[in-house]
Amino acid sequence: MQHIKEMLDKWTKRKEAPGAVGIYFCQDSISMVHLDTDSAPIPTILAYQHVTCRSENEKKIALQSFVEKHALETMACHAIIELQDYKVTLLDAPPVSDNELIPSVRWMLKDVINYPLDEACVDIFHVPLARARDNAKLIYAVVTPLKVMIGIENIIKNSGLSLHSLGIPELALKNTLSFFKYVKHGSLLIYLHNNMGKLIIMDEKYIHMIRNIDLRDNPSETLILEIQRYLDYSNTLFRQNLCLSFLLTPNPLNDDIAPKLKSTLETETTQIDFSSFFSNGSDIPIAYQTPLLIALGAALSGNFNAQNQVTA
């Protein structure tokens, strides 16, 4: 997040090694990607690893091992926090100046979180379209406990990497899919993880909408119903159809879900091919693939200039 960067500047003033590292801190694992950002025509993936971890200390050890093995000390690093550690909330943008925006949003979130406001880290990204009925500007607010950010900061500091940004999976996935031309005009990204899912409407540059869904009961039927409701809501909100295709992140349920989506909603449906991003990708268990795509999106953060993004 942009506003955490002030806390990190003292570690980014060292001479940095070329390239970038993306890290995704999952609840029970850590995913890491090392990019050569100077290679042409696109950045080259030089190394990647997904490690199952039972504790924060195991994540620390896994990251240190990855950094040492590939000689990544002082390299720029972009990290992504896990799904359970933050909330994303759609809000009307408050009518205040830019320097008053974060304090105003922080106050608006007082009933959203169950911990003190002074222990919250808050950031925002703008929704590019206004609400149709009143032309109101909209924003997404992201809030996470400050202790989570400091914990990640300490793990990365101890590894020798140079932390540039902290962000969320939705924006990292947008980075990956946009950079590698998976997003055509308007797409609905369907990200499934354990018993939950995320529906993310995006185009080549921006995220327009995000929605969380519970998939504990009858996942495929629940998912299709939620997608129908979500598309109806977004079409009403903006009075235009923002979704011309569906994208499915790698998941064991995809073989069941993809044909149902195509037949029920009559929309082009594409399953994201992990091996098109990573060499030897077909050898990676499917449960590890989306976390590695998120880590890749984090590493790509420095290649983006879009407004709603993960950048330092």
Side-chain angles (χ1 to χ4, degrees):
M1 295 181 187
Q2 177 70 25
H3 296 275
I4 201 73
K5 186 174 184 295
E6 294 177 3
M7 301 170 57
L8 311 175
D9 280 344
K10 58 185 177 182
W11 290 303
T12 62
K13 292 179 181 178
R14 298 174 296 174
K15 185 177 180 180
E16 296 173 357
V21 176
I23 306 170
Y24 179 34
F25 289 90
C26 305
Q27 187 173 24
D28 56 1
S29 64
I30 183 172
S31 295
M32 301 158 285
V33 173
H34 171 211
L35 279 186
D36 176 0
T37 53
D38 294 328
S39 61
I42 61 173
T44 301
I45 298 172
L46 299 178
Y48 63 91
Q49 188 176 10
H50 178 93
V51 181
T52 300
C53 303
R54 292 172 295 182
S55 66
E56 293 302 304
N57 190 54
E58 289 189 1
K59 294 176 186 177
K60 177 181 177 181
I61 293 170
L63 180 57
Q64 287 177 329
S65 175
F66 186 78
V67 170
E68 291 171 4
K69 179 179 179 180
H70 301 288
L72 305 177
E73 290 86 356
T74 75
M75 189 168 291
C77 168
H78 303 272
I80 304 297
I81 59 178
E82 65 179 83
L83 295 170
Q84 293 83 359
D85 281 339
Y86 67 94
K87 291 184 177 181
V88 179
T89 305
L90 182 65
L91 300 171
D92 285 15
V96 297
S97 62
D98 288 347
N99 63 348
E100 295 175 319
L101 184 56
I102 295 297
S104 297
V105 170
R106 179 185 295 272
W107 179 250
M108 294 167 72
L109 294 172
K110 65 183 186 300
D111 296 323
V112 173
I113 59 176
N114 58 3
Y115 49 91
L117 279 177
D118 59 3
E119 296 176 12
C121 184
V122 176
D123 211 338
I124 64 99
F125 60 90
H126 295 271
V127 176
L129 295 177
R131 186 168 53 217
R133 64 177 171 82
D134 57 3
N135 204 36
K137 293 181 178 179
L138 301 171
I139 59 172
Y140 272 106
V142 183
V143 58
T144 191
L146 186 58
K147 65 181 180 181
V148 169
M149 311 294 272
I150 293 174
I152 292 175
E153 177 188 338
N154 288 336
I155 290 175
I156 292 174
K157 175 189 174 185
N158 290 334
S159 76
L161 293 170
S162 179
L163 182 57
H164 277 219
S165 69
L166 290 165
I168 59 174
E170 292 93 330
L171 294 171
L173 283 168
K174 187 265 297 179
N175 285 356
T176 297
L177 299 178
S178 296
F179 193 88
F180 288 96
K181 312 300 183 184
Y182 255 92
V183 181
K184 302 173 183 177
H185 307 296
S187 297
L188 174 64
L189 176 64
I190 302 163
Y191 168 30
L192 308 179
H193 178 75
N194 294 334
N195 293 320
M196 68 169 293
K198 282 186 176 287
L199 304 178
I200 307 166
I201 297 177
M202 64 175 72
D203 59 25
E204 296 92 332
K205 293 184 178 180
Y206 302 104
I207 284 180
H208 293 267
M209 296 286 293
I210 299 170
R211 182 171 181 174
N212 296 332
I213 52 176
D214 188 333
L215 297 174
R216 281 174 290 190
D217 299 318
N218 198 354
S220 60
E221 297 302 323
T222 300
L223 178 62
I224 290 172
L225 180 59
E226 288 294 333
I227 289 173
Q228 289 175 317
R229 291 173 175 170
Y230 187 49
L231 295 178
D232 287 343
Y233 173 70
S234 65
N235 290 348
T236 301
L237 187 67
F238 299 114
R239 292 181 187 163
Q240 59 180 285
N241 181 13
L242 299 176
C243 179
L244 304 177
S245 64
F246 297 150
L247 296 172
L248 284 165
T249 59
N251 190 279
L253 293 174
N254 283 357
D255 289 341
D256 176 48
I257 291 172
K260 290 182 178 179
L261 283 173
K262 191 170 183 178
S263 62
T264 305
L265 300 179
E266 299 180 344
T267 301
E268 177 187 354
T269 301
T270 302
Q271 298 187 53
I272 295 168
D273 179 10
F274 182 80
S275 61
S276 67
F277 300 93
F278 291 86
S279 61
N280 303 318
S282 58
D283 298 330
I284 302 297
I286 196 166
Y288 300 173
Q289 292 182 10
T290 299
L292 282 166
L293 289 174
I294 292 171
L296 173 58
L300 285 166
S301 294
N303 294 79
F304 281 81
N305 294 311
Q307 289 185 14
N308 65 6
Q309 61 177 342
V310 185
T311 62

